[in-house]
Amino acid sequence: MNLLKLVDWETAMQHTSEQMPLPTYECFRTTDRIRVDGALDERTWKHAPAMRLTVWKDGSAPERETRVKMAWDTKNLYLAYWVEDDSFRSRMRKRDDPLWLEEVVEFFADGGQDLRDYCEFEWNALGACVDLVAVWLDEGKFHMFIEWDAKGMKWAVKTGKTVIDGIEVPGWQCEVSIPFSVFRDAPRLPPADGDTWRVNHYRIEMSGKETEYTCWSPVLGENVSFHRPHRFGYLVFRDKPVPLPSRE
């Protein structure tokens, strides 16, 4: 990829981001001892702000909803997924199987914000996981180092039903803790108040007539690709507990 082409591409992507601004998520410090069991019953998950995944190309409402919340402490980054789903289209069960070929939720994180190399994590309703490092080369071109493992990461899945916006629906939940030591390109570990990373969350859902691709920050473009790091949103760490709702 020559320098001129790279400059032209980044200019075009800056214009695209101006058309649909990138979202920001404030990630608060948890005061709970989070048990990674998929139940999502800690107070942190009750009060943390939620991200909604929307259709990849335009941010429109999906057929099946997904909510994501995040939190952190001095050792780990925590993720929680609430996934509406009435039929699980997943068969893969082994670590590092190509889960992206089936139904899955995904998390991409670039602690260094260079938008060139980033960690990728995926989990399915059967409890399988793939973790890798991706290196972005050009639109539609990237290299994956699947042999990389996020040492110390824990995850758990609970299937049957979930609650989204106060309504119980068929689905599944996923809870994850990732040690900060995994994110070696981040400027400070653990992060300090105000530190910002670039991240995105995704989902592949195959229960409808067509496969539905959803994202926290819509990736846009003519063809679906989750590997558009210029469309990663902003994750801002806050060194204070999750704000409780006002009693007023």
Side-chain angles (χ1 to χ4, degrees), residues 131-189:
D131 47 357
L132 57 93
V133 169
V135 177
W136 184 87
L137 303 173
D138 198 351
E139 170 66 6
K141 297 179 181 179
F142 51 91
H143 186 78
M144 299 189 299
F145 295 90
I146 299 180
E147 65 275 12
W148 177 84
D149 285 329
K151 294 182 179 180
M153 179 175 63
K154 299 177 182 178
W155 68 94
V157 169
K158 186 176 181 180
T159 61
K161 60 184 179 181
T162 190
V163 177
I164 294 180
D165 298 342
I167 301 174
E168 185 175 291
V169 295
W172 56 286
Q173 300 175 172
C174 182
E175 190 169 24
V176 185
S177 69
I178 308 174
F180 277 122
S181 57
V182 165
F183 305 101
R184 296 183 178 181
D185 61 342
R188 281 183 289 200
L189 294 174

Side-chain angles (χ1 to χ4, degrees), residues 53-186:
L53 304 195
T54 58
V55 176
W56 67 274
K57 59 183 178 181
D58 56 10
S60 59
E63 290 187 16
R64 290 170 175 79
E65 294 285 351
T66 312
R67 297 292 183 272
V68 187
K69 296 185 178 184
M70 302 181 67
W72 68 287
D73 59 23
T74 57
K75 294 183 179 180
N76 299 299
L77 182 65
Y78 298 96
L79 315 176
Y81 294 85
W82 292 258
V83 184
E84 180 187 7
D85 197 353
D86 54 8
S87 63
F88 305 146
R89 306 289 179 91
S90 300
R91 295 183 179 181
M92 299 183 192
R93 296 178 179 271
K94 296 180 180 179
R95 181 75 173 262
D96 288 342
D97 275 347
L99 304 188
W100 56 87
L101 300 178
E102 299 181 339
E103 292 188 342
V104 73
V105 293
E106 308 183 15
F107 173 56
F108 290 16
D110 184 358
Q113 298 193 75
D114 63 1
L115 305 183
R116 290 290 182 268
D117 57 283
Y118 43 90
C119 299
E120 176 178 344
F121 311 89
E122 304 182 14
W123 305 272
N124 70 13
L126 299 178
C129 169
V130 57
D131 47 357
L132 57 93
V133 169
V135 177
W136 184 87
L137 303 173
D138 198 351
E139 170 66 6
K141 297 179 181 179
F142 51 91
H143 186 78
M144 299 189 299
F145 295 90
I146 299 180
E147 65 275 12
W148 177 84
D149 285 329
K151 294 182 179 180
M153 179 175 63
K154 299 177 182 178
W155 68 94
V157 169
K158 186 176 181 180
T159 61
K161 60 184 179 181
T162 190
V163 177
I164 294 180
D165 298 342
I167 301 174
E168 185 175 291
V169 295
W172 56 286
Q173 300 175 172
C174 182
E175 190 169 24
V176 185
S177 69
I178 308 174
F180 277 122
S181 57
V182 165
F183 305 101
R184 296 183 178 181
D185 61 342

Side-chain angles (χ1 to χ4, degrees), residues 27-39:
C27 185
F28 294 95
R29 178 170 43 81
T30 180
T31 56
D32 295 320
R33 177 175 290 183
I34 293 180
R35 178 184 298 177
V36 181
D37 56 9

Side-chain angles (χ1 to χ4, degrees), residues 54-57 203-205 211-215 224 226:
T54 58
V55 176
W56 67 274
K57 59 183 178 181
R203 177 184 174 187
I204 299 175
E205 169 58 42
T211 299
E212 185 172 61
Y213 300 92
T214 53
C215 324
V224 62
F226 290 165

